Amino acid sequence: MLVYADNAATTKMSKLAIETMLPYFDNIYGNPSSLHSVGQEAKEALEAARKTVAECLGCEPREIYFTSGGSEADNQAIQSAAWFGARKGKKHIISTAFEHHAVLHTLEKLRKEGFEITLLDVKENHNVSAQQVKDAIREDTCLVTCMYANNEIGSVLPIGEIGAVCKAAGVPFHTDAVQAAGHLHIDVKAQNIDMLSLSAHKFHGPKGVGVLYARRGMPLVNVIEGGAQERGKRAGTENIAGICALAAALQDACSHIDENAAKVTAMRDKLIEGLSQIPHCALNGDPVNRLPGNVSFCFEGIEGESLLLYLDAMGISASSGSACTSGSLDPSHVLLAIGRVHDVAHGSLRLSLSHYNTMEEMDHILHCVPQVVQQLRNMSPVWRELQNGERTYIL
Ligand SMILES: *Cc1c(COP(=O)(O)O)cnc(C)c1O
């Protein structure tokens, strides 16, 4: 049995998304900037996709900018607010300690350019509160950027409340909604969101295409300079096939949000209940306000990477959450931010589900994970010390 449980990293494209793309590689190959009818056909498809995305988010089509993905949208949103803030002498930005690197690394760059960055603590409930945001806002705050839902531990932030706080204070609010779009209800107007990022490959669309929503009147600076595409705010010939597939996948996901969430939540809760029986473990992330498909645990006395390799051999694709992207052995910044100590953070496992998963697959996971954890513990010198009492358990 092959079980794909790494949907927070990327998702399998839906048949609908694949079929939506195909004509744009074949008959509808025009450049939307061309004035002739071949170009205009592509232009019509582009604008239809923009309208569809706007309907899904509750905004106007002219507030939608297509990008190369979530990372680019995050970069553009944050750089725009920073640039505009600096012009008014406001150089303070509020965010959270468990953002995606697309946000954190952009903020780090701004910090070196003289911006002051406040990263809100996420130890309480593995989440932030609107009150924390309110308390952090200053006269010189030019942006609040808080993710909608965390990609590693699944916490869903109180976005509507944070939006209301920002609106009352007159501070622009951006949210990285890459994990939320297509999975949770979003209404940018009702939630007072000024800018929002999303990415197609997290909701069964293609990789390399995303959206920046920017409320009308929000000033944008260009991350990519060149032609006048996307109302002059994002140069480059549009990825029409990707954009149309993004729109189709988002519409499909949004029109099945409740039924998919119910199905995925039932599988998630089965895994959380089953894995909680393993001794000396802890659930990561907000236990209540949580993404339907996220299961994240730390198991004391093991290495997450070994666990992953063993599970892969048993047909289960998961993630450790400890991003060794840089090749360093540092554990995940998210797990450290919620207060896990290094040793514990190294023993992490993230299983992220989609509506393509089945209950039989959950049974397989629940059969394999406890067995592999025990096997790894039996080989672990750390576990032996814990058992001997030479070391004290943390979990
Ligand atoms: C995947 C992800 C991103 C990056 O999106 P890309 O389209 O891969 O650039 C940003 N933020 C979060 C929360 C994500 O999960």
Side-chain angles (χ1 to χ4, degrees), residues 5-67:
D6 201 11
N7 288 278
T10 198
T11 58
K12 178 188 168 78
M13 273 182 77
S14 64
K15 291 272 178 297
L16 171 77
I18 295 170
E19 276 160 21
T20 303
M21 288 184 98
L22 295 178
Y24 302 98
F25 297 123
D26 193 6
N27 292 326
I28 315 174
Y29 53 80
N31 184 328
S33 300
S34 302
L35 294 179
H36 48 64
S37 50
V38 175
Q40 287 311 297
E41 198 182 358
K43 173 85 177 163
E44 274 167 31
L46 173 65
E47 294 316 319
R50 197 184 308 284
K51 187 161 174 281
T52 300
V53 172
E55 280 164 7
C56 293
L57 298 179
C59 66
E60 294 171 35
R62 63 178 154 174
E63 296 174 310
I64 297 297
Y65 301 84
F66 292 109
T67 68

Side-chain angles (χ1 to χ4, degrees), residues 8 68-72 74 100 102 147 149 151 176 178-179 199 201-202:
S68 66
S71 299
E72 186 189 323
D74 284 342
H100 189 272
M147 67 202 320
N151 47 303
D176 173 343
V178 174
Q179 289 291 330
S199 177
H201 76 100
K202 303 291 175 74

Side-chain angles (χ1 to χ4, degrees), residues 14-281:
S14 64
K15 291 272 178 297
L16 171 77
I18 295 170
E19 276 160 21
T20 303
M21 288 184 98
L22 295 178
Y24 302 98
F25 297 123
D26 193 6
N27 292 326
I28 315 174
Y29 53 80
N31 184 328
S33 300
S34 302
L35 294 179
H36 48 64
S37 50
V38 175
Q40 287 311 297
E41 198 182 358
K43 173 85 177 163
E44 274 167 31
L46 173 65
E47 294 316 319
R50 197 184 308 284
K51 187 161 174 281
T52 300
V53 172
E55 280 164 7
C56 293
L57 298 179
C59 66
E60 294 171 35
R62 63 178 154 174
E63 296 174 310
I64 297 297
Y65 301 84
F66 292 109
T67 68
S68 66
S71 299
E72 186 189 323
D74 284 342
N75 274 258
Q76 189 167 15
I78 294 166
Q79 286 178 27
S80 297
W83 171 83
F84 194 64
R87 282 197 350 172
K88 295 188 291 182
K90 296 184 171 190
K91 298 187 80 171
H92 175 236
I93 300 176
I94 298 167
S95 188
T96 75
F98 65 2
E99 294 295 311
H100 189 272
H101 281 142
V103 168
L104 285 182
H105 291 173
T106 305
L107 294 176
E108 189 53 29
K109 207 160 109 182
L110 289 169
R111 198 180 58 76
K112 288 184 186 135
E113 289 170 14
F115 282 81
E116 201 183 318
I117 314 293
T118 299
L119 295 182
L120 300 174
D121 188 280
V122 292
K123 290 192 186 71
E124 180 102 18
N125 298 325
H126 300 176
N127 208 332
V128 291
S129 66
Q131 188 63 44
Q132 279 175 278
V133 175
K134 193 173 179 183
D135 293 343
I137 290 178
R138 312 191 313 211
E139 275 295 306
D140 62 342
T141 304
C142 63
L143 174 69
V144 169
T145 174
C146 293
M147 67 202 320
Y148 204 119
N150 185 276
N151 47 303
E152 285 189 36
I153 60 172
S155 301
V156 176
L157 282 65
I159 292 301
E161 291 173 37
I162 296 172
V165 162
C166 293
K167 191 184 180 188
V171 177
F173 174 42
H174 165 255
T175 184
D176 173 343
V178 174
Q179 289 291 330
H183 304 287
L184 301 172
H185 292 283
I186 297 177
D187 183 334
V188 293
K189 301 294 165 191
Q191 294 172 300
N192 293 302
I193 298 167
D194 296 307
M195 292 186 283
L196 174 146
S197 312
L198 61 79
S199 177
H201 76 100
K202 303 291 175 74
F203 49 83
H204 308 286
K207 292 164 190 56
V209 61
V211 162
L212 171 61
Y213 149 78
R215 183 176 55 73
R216 193 151 55 93
M218 283 303 301
L220 289 183
V221 294
N222 294 36
V223 172
I224 309 221
E225 300 287 356
Q229 291 91 353
E230 298 300 293
R231 292 175 301 293
K233 297 303 177 193
R234 203 284 181 179
T237 302
E238 300 86 344
N239 172 8
I240 299 290
I243 288 168
C244 291
L246 177 151
L250 185 61
Q251 188 174 45
D252 186 35
C254 289
S255 58
H256 297 99
I257 243 172
D258 294 321
E259 85 191 64
N260 286 344
K263 181 184 176 190
V264 175
T265 301
M267 293 190 285
R268 175 198 75 186
D269 290 346
K270 184 184 172 96
L271 285 189
I272 291 179
E273 201 195 302
L275 297 178
S276 298
Q277 309 302 315
I278 297 174
H280 304 287
C281 78

